[in-house]
């Protein structure tokens, strides 16, 4: 089967290039990760972990920046942040550059929780991506980035 036939097959079956395979894989990975967090007694959802990991890697961000990084709407991000603040893992402080906004960052407890979990999270990722060669991972990331850029250009 040549490339054009393969593309045509994916376009007409509702899988692959239509986004179905990408969406299904993302959902399965998220579900498996949630189960792993539950096994770890992390007390976090997958979405909460992603916010904590983002802040651990990027430092303090405002809510709009978090929304953009996660591709989630503001009400959803607000709920996630509220829950993490209630758990004393995040804090909100007025942005010194714009007093109408808040900067969100990890508390000391949040940093400690991230540190406690990161090794197991990396093991989870490694377990599920070990079938991919470094080239496969580079190609996957490149393709996904191109799709995201195409969407951004609209």
């Amino acid at each position: 089967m040549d490339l054009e036939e393969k593309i045509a097959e994916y376009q007409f079956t509702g899988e692959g290039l239509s986004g179905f395979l990408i969406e299904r894989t993302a959902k399965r990975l998220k579900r498996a990760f949630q189960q792993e967090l539950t096994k770890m007694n992390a007390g976090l959802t997958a979405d909460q972990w992603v916010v904590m990991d983002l802040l651990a890697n990027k430092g303090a961000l405002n809510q709009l920046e978090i929304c953009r990084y996660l591709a989630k709407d503001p009400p959803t991000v607000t709920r996630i942040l509220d829950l993490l603040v209630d758990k004393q893992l995040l804090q909100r402080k007025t942005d010194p550059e714009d007093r109408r906004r808040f900067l969100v960052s990890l508390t000391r407890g949040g940093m400690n929780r991230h540190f406690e979990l990161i090794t197991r999270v990396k093991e989870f990722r490694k377990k599920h991506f070990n079938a991919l060669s470094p080239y496969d991972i580079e190609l996957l990331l490149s393709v996904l980035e191109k799709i995201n850029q195409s969407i951004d250009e609209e």
Side-chain angles (χ1 to χ4, degrees), residues 2 28 83 139:
D2 70 6
R28 293 185 70 208
L83 290 167
L139 182 60

PDB file of all heavy atoms in Angstrom, residues 2 28 83 139:
ATOM      1  N   ASP A   2       0.681   2.124  -0.971  1.00  0.00           N
ATOM      2  CA  ASP A   2       1.489   3.338  -1.020  1.00  0.00           C
ATOM      3  C   ASP A   2       0.932   4.397  -0.071  1.00  0.00           C
ATOM      4  O   ASP A   2      -0.133   4.225   0.520  1.00  0.00           O
ATOM      5  CB  ASP A   2       1.634   3.869  -2.446  1.00  0.00           C
ATOM      6  CG  ASP A   2       0.358   4.458  -3.023  1.00  0.00           C
ATOM      7  OD1 ASP A   2      -0.647   4.573  -2.293  1.00  0.00           O
ATOM      8  OD2 ASP A   2       0.372   4.815  -4.214  1.00  0.00           O
ATOM      9  N   ARG A  28      -6.667   7.197  26.735  1.00  0.00           N
ATOM     10  CA  ARG A  28      -6.215   5.959  27.385  1.00  0.00           C
ATOM     11  C   ARG A  28      -4.992   6.226  28.257  1.00  0.00           C
ATOM     12  O   ARG A  28      -4.873   5.687  29.358  1.00  0.00           O
ATOM     13  CB  ARG A  28      -5.917   4.900  26.336  1.00  0.00           C
ATOM     14  CG  ARG A  28      -7.169   4.424  25.603  1.00  0.00           C
ATOM     15  CD  ARG A  28      -6.900   3.297  24.667  1.00  0.00           C
ATOM     16  NE  ARG A  28      -6.587   2.120  25.474  1.00  0.00           N
ATOM     17  CZ  ARG A  28      -5.799   1.131  25.056  1.00  0.00           C
ATOM     18  NH1 ARG A  28      -5.269   1.162  23.861  1.00  0.00           N
ATOM     19  NH2 ARG A  28      -5.563   0.096  25.835  1.00  0.00           N
ATOM     20  N   LEU A  83      -8.935  23.656  43.708  1.00  0.00           N
ATOM     21  CA  LEU A  83      -8.732  22.395  44.447  1.00  0.00           C
ATOM     22  C   LEU A  83      -7.300  22.277  44.956  1.00  0.00           C
ATOM     23  O   LEU A  83      -7.073  21.825  46.083  1.00  0.00           O
ATOM     24  CB  LEU A  83      -9.089  21.199  43.559  1.00  0.00           C
ATOM     25  CG  LEU A  83     -10.578  21.041  43.265  1.00  0.00           C
ATOM     26  CD1 LEU A  83     -10.805  20.032  42.138  1.00  0.00           C
ATOM     27  CD2 LEU A  83     -11.329  20.610  44.517  1.00  0.00           C
ATOM     28  N   LEU A 139      10.104  12.029  16.067  1.00  0.00           N
ATOM     29  CA  LEU A 139       9.154  12.151  14.963  1.00  0.00           C
ATOM     30  C   LEU A 139       7.744  12.429  15.475  1.00  0.00           C
ATOM     31  O   LEU A 139       7.046  13.303  14.956  1.00  0.00           O
ATOM     32  CB  LEU A 139       9.163  10.865  14.118  1.00  0.00           C
ATOM     33  CG  LEU A 139       8.250  10.850  12.903  1.00  0.00           C
ATOM     34  CD1 LEU A 139       8.623  11.964  11.929  1.00  0.00           C
ATOM     35  CD2 LEU A 139       8.330   9.485  12.223  1.00  0.00           C
TER      36      LEU A 139
END
